[in-house]
Amino acid sequence: MVDTKKEQERDELHRAIWAIADDLRGAVDGWDFKNYVLGTMFYRYISENLANYINEGEIEAGNPDFDYAKMSDAEAETARTGLVEEKGFFILPSELFWNVKETAQSDENLNVTLETIFRHIEESAQGSESEGSFAGLFDDFDVNSNKLGSTVAKRNEKLVKLLDGVADMNLGDVKHHDIDAFGDAYEYLMTMYASNAGKSGGEFFTPADVSELLTRLGTVGKTEINKVYDPACGSGSLLLKAEKILGKDAIRNGFFGQEINITTYNLCRINMFLHDVGFDKFSIACEDTLTAPQHWDDEPFELIVSNPPYSIKWEGDSNPLLINDPRFSPAGVLAPKSKADLAFIMHSLSWLASNGTAAIVCFPGIMYRGGAEQKIRKYLVDNNFIDCIIQLPSNLFFGTSIATCIMVLKKGKPDNKVLFIDATKECVKVTNNNKLTAENISRIVDGFAARADEDYFSHLATYEEIAQNNYNLSVSTYVEAEDTREQIDIVELNAEIKQIVAREQELRDEIDRIIAEIESPENVTNADGGEDQ
């Protein structure tokens, strides 16, 4: 049942975000501007989060009127060490979001003020366990960028609007986050800009409906998991969907991901904080997953969900070390240098727990192309690692209209069959894109769990079938498409044609009779006689 109050709050929040974007439109390109809005939201979030944490502790200790925001910096400084250990960071009262916002209009050096505060927040974590989670977090919030304005005064004017706009957002009680407001605002912003940004924005944003489908496929029959991993985590939307579906305490050991793009890596860490994931519950790394994986000590993972980049270049066999890499060596061949898709699959399989599931979005070409890719598919099928292939509708993702697939991997399967699901019709059209509804997602997940043949929807293929098809894993090879053309009864059609021909002959006979009557000698004579008179 839809909670009307929450939906109203969500709509109000979305309108507030749109208002900020509208207010600064033209000043900053949307995709860049997103970083400023998210950075400001993050600044507000951690300010409220810290102040609330301190205030609650004081209230419990019998000091009901305590307000950290009104303390002097000197007094607050005494609590720095303890707070960094507990929360991972520290902010002086004078540097809290609301205090800075109050004086922003009259601060001629607002850009310098904010730059200093952001540096102080990052430095507060140095030397502590949380250092990696905070280092460089504000790198993409450039207060001196010409994108904000050509002069300091113009830049500060924009920064004031930014602080005011984020202050006006109804983000709910920081203690409760009834609508997961910060996280929801983040997702809305990403969608808003990804839909207009094409590949530059959409390449690392997986829409919420696809994220939900992947996570539900990966957690069928489970109420908790040890940890979730995404080898190409982008802004972290897929990782966090596991928490949303299973619940906060159902992911025992946290969230792990790797991202090669530093801007997106920073967004992912911010996203973790905005979803109230503690610094000790996530580990996000910035490096090339295929050639420099950063979580050797953390694998295996019980849930792996990913939407890796399609058909990107990688080192492949030009790097002699990779064929001996334990992630890739079992297949005896590396993914082509021009198409790294199956390298991500092999990496994920290698780091998958024996009781785990990996659900990965794939470019359709990897299901049928020959050469090294066919050899890797053969390895995966021969060793019974592929559980299911799902053909998705086209136009689900921002920046591409490709009809992608999902490959579900498991170790220790109870049978040696592969389920193929044709979900191309499971969607609704929304503006220029297709979308998976809750019903569409449930239909696919239920079909996946049932693991049975269903006309025009699913087929459970034997190992022998797949081998006979030269390890082609395209869904269309195994699931017959429904013929939606109008069915024609040939016997009935022939009878109708016979009737038409007979009727046609009757008409011809009638026309011939009329013509013969007109041309008879009697009629011609009468006609002549009439003329003579």
Side-chain angles (χ1 to χ4, degrees):
M1 188 175 157
V2 175
D3 187 322
T4 311
K5 184 173 182 290
K6 283 187 182 179
E7 286 303 313
Q8 285 173 345
E9 287 175 356
R10 185 171 275 117
D11 288 344
E12 184 186 328
L13 181 60
H14 291 177
R15 280 195 297 275
I17 294 169
W18 188 257
I20 302 172
D22 213 34
D23 209 14
L24 290 122
R25 192 182 302 285
V28 184
D29 172 67
W31 194 245
D32 291 318
F33 177 63
K34 164 192 64 16
N35 296 331
Y36 288 103
V37 180
L38 288 171
T40 310
M41 280 170 52
F42 174 61
Y43 173 39
R44 174 180 163 181
Y45 171 78
I46 59 173
S47 292
E48 290 182 0
N49 186 280
L50 183 72
N52 186 68
Y53 177 78
I54 296 166
N55 291 346
E56 277 190 339
E58 287 294 324
I59 290 165
E60 282 175 18
N63 193 354
D65 299 320
F66 182 84
D67 185 355
Y68 180 67
K70 292 177 180 170
M71 274 186 87
S72 72
D73 285 355
E75 276 184 287
E77 194 65 58
T78 59
R80 176 186 288 270
T81 306
L83 284 167
V84 170
E85 278 179 22
E86 293 162 36
K87 296 296 288 179
F89 66 98
F90 179 74
I91 305 175
L92 290 166
S94 67
E95 296 185 338
L96 291 168
F97 174 87
W98 290 104
N99 286 338
V100 172
K101 187 254 174 194
E102 286 305 311
T103 58
Q105 189 76 50
S106 57
D107 186 352
E108 291 180 2
N109 299 306
L110 180 60
N111 60 326
V112 177
T113 301
L114 287 173
E115 188 175 38
T116 304
I117 290 170
F118 296 160
R119 189 178 72 249
H120 286 170
I121 293 170
E122 289 182 12
E123 286 174 352
S124 73
Q126 283 179 2
S128 75
E129 276 185 55
S130 62
E131 182 172 354
S133 299
F134 281 86
L137 259 183
F138 289 97
D139 281 357
D140 291 302
F141 196 121
D142 184 359
V143 293
N144 298 305
S145 170
N146 285 332
K147 291 173 181 175
L148 284 174
S150 55
T151 65
V152 170
K154 284 180 180 175
R155 290 197 279 273
N156 284 345
E157 189 184 320
K158 293 285 187 290
L159 290 170
V160 168
K161 285 184 176 179
L162 206 50
L163 290 169
D164 286 347
V166 171
D168 287 342
M169 287 184 189
N170 177 14
L171 293 168
D173 185 336
V174 74
K175 293 194 290 290
H176 302 121
H177 297 309
D178 283 341
I179 62 163
D180 183 22
F182 279 97
D184 183 73
Y186 177 97
E187 193 164 277
Y188 177 72
L189 258 168
M190 292 296 289
T191 308
M192 183 172 131
Y193 288 123
S195 59
N196 295 322
K199 195 170 187 302
S200 65
E203 65 185 354
F204 45 73
F205 184 72
T206 305
D209 50 345
V210 181
S211 297
E212 179 163 341
L213 173 59
L214 286 170
T215 308
R216 284 185 57 187
L217 289 168
T219 54
V220 165
K222 294 190 176 184
T223 54
E224 62 172 26
I225 54 169
N226 70 341
K227 47 197 169 183
V228 57
Y229 172 67
D230 184 346
C233 63
S235 58
S237 61
L238 259 173
L239 285 172
L240 288 158
K241 194 59 79 171
E243 182 200 60
K244 204 160 192 174
I245 287 170
L246 291 175
K248 198 169 191 67
D249 301 321
I251 296 140
R252 298 188 300 273
N253 301 321
F255 306 80
F256 297 78
Q258 190 161 334
E259 172 55 41
I260 196 167
N261 180 300
I262 191 158
T263 297
T264 323
Y265 157 70
N266 287 335
L267 287 179
C268 184
R269 292 185 297 158
I270 286 174
N271 199 9
M272 291 291 148
F273 285 114
L274 292 180
H275 282 83
D276 205 24
V277 177
F279 73 89
D280 55 340
K281 285 292 291 278
F282 72 84
S283 172
I284 310 298
C286 184
E287 255 293 0
D288 185 330
T289 301
L290 299 180
T291 55
Q294 298 296 298
H295 292 104
W296 281 113
D297 297 334
D298 301 302
E299 60 92 11
F301 300 96
E302 197 173 336
L303 173 63
I304 298 177
V305 281
S306 193
N307 177 20
Y310 310 140
S311 300
I312 58 162
K313 293 180 172 65
W314 77 307
E315 290 181 13
D317 58 16
S318 65
N319 180 341
L321 299 176
L322 288 174
I323 193 59
N324 295 314
D325 188 306
R327 297 170 298 156
F328 309 124
S329 59
V333 65
L334 295 168
K337 283 188 282 192
S338 61
K339 302 175 183 73
D341 309 69
L342 280 166
F344 281 105
I345 296 287
M346 290 296 293
H347 167 82
S348 298
L349 175 67
S350 176
W351 284 17
L352 184 63
S354 57
N355 66 333
T357 304
I360 301 165
V361 179
C362 303
F363 183 79
I366 70 165
M367 301 298 174
Y368 57 80
R369 288 189 298 235
E373 291 183 310
Q374 184 186 35
K375 289 176 184 172
I376 296 172
R377 289 198 304 273
K378 183 178 187 304
Y379 164 77
L380 293 170
V381 174
D382 286 352
N383 289 277
N384 201 25
F385 292 130
I386 298 181
D387 188 59
C388 182
I389 305 288
I390 301 167
Q391 178 65 57
L392 293 174
S394 60
N395 247 18
L396 285 178
F397 295 87
F398 301 115
T400 180
S401 60
I402 296 167
T404 54
C405 311
I406 294 174
M407 183 183 285
V408 182
L409 300 167
K410 284 186 182 177
K411 293 178 176 175
K413 282 166 55 191
D415 61 32
N416 69 339
K417 297 175 180 177
V418 177
L419 181 67
F420 291 88
I421 294 177
D422 181 355
T424 50
K425 293 178 181 171
E426 294 299 321
C427 64
V428 294
K429 191 166 180 61
V430 180
T431 60
N432 296 325
N433 279 65
N434 286 325
K435 188 177 183 348
L436 303 173
T437 64
E439 291 76 20
N440 295 142
I441 292 169
S442 292
R443 166 102 163 102
I444 297 167
V445 174
D446 290 348
F448 170 74
R451 208 163 171 76
D453 282 14
E454 185 180 329
D455 287 349
Y456 315 121
F457 181 69
S458 60
H459 175 61
L460 192 58
T462 62
Y463 168 77
E464 290 74 22
E465 266 182 275
I466 297 169
Q468 282 167 11
N469 281 305
N470 293 317
Y471 298 93
N472 182 325
L473 297 177
S474 297
V475 171
S476 58
T477 305
Y478 302 92
V479 181
E480 182 189 356
E482 185 175 4
D483 187 349
T484 54
R485 293 174 300 180
E486 186 183 350
Q487 296 293 318
I488 297 169
D489 186 327
I490 297 297
V491 175
E492 191 179 315
L493 180 63
N494 282 335
E496 278 183 30
I497 292 170
K498 197 172 180 181
Q499 281 182 335
I500 291 167
V501 170
R503 178 63 181 146
E504 194 177 55
Q505 191 56 51
E506 283 176 25
L507 290 170
R508 283 183 189 281
D509 292 345
E510 184 67 19
I511 291 166
D512 288 347
R513 188 186 63 73
I514 293 167
I515 290 170
E517 208 173 282
I518 292 168
E519 292 177 344
S520 70
E522 186 184 333
N523 283 336
V524 171
T525 303
N526 285 341
D528 288 346
E531 284 174 6
D532 289 342
Q533 286 177 349

